[in-house]
Amino acid sequence: SDIFLGSPIWFTGPKLPKQGDVVIFETPEPTGSTLLIKRVIGLPGDRIATQGKNILVNGTALQKSPIDTTTEQ
């Protein structure tokens, strides 16, 4: 089954999110909004599944990596 937390996000501009990017977005709630911080693991058309403790993207186990702490200027 599909699970989506939050409202759809529409990105505009020259740079769209890619796998591994961290995005921050707002979710509407009855008592106000909440900011969520999530890592992008799939893009439109990708098939996401779990197998044990692994996340599979298009049948391949997602490699766990630390968050890149560099910033773009």
Side-chain angles (χ1 to χ4, degrees), residues 1-60:
S1 68
D2 294 330
I3 298 174
F4 183 82
L5 301 175
S7 299
I9 303 170
W10 298 102
F11 290 91
T12 59
K15 187 173 178 188
L16 297 174
K18 61 187 182 303
Q19 188 182 44
D21 284 353
V22 175
V23 295
I24 302 171
F25 58 96
E26 229 174 41
T27 62
E29 296 186 8
T31 58
S33 62
T34 298
L35 287 178
L36 294 178
I37 302 171
K38 299 289 180 178
R39 185 182 293 250
V40 175
I41 62 170
L43 300 172
D46 286 345
R47 294 185 57 90
I48 310 297
T50 58
Q51 185 178 57
K53 292 185 178 184
N54 294 315
I55 298 173
L56 305 177
V57 179
N58 300 322
T60 303

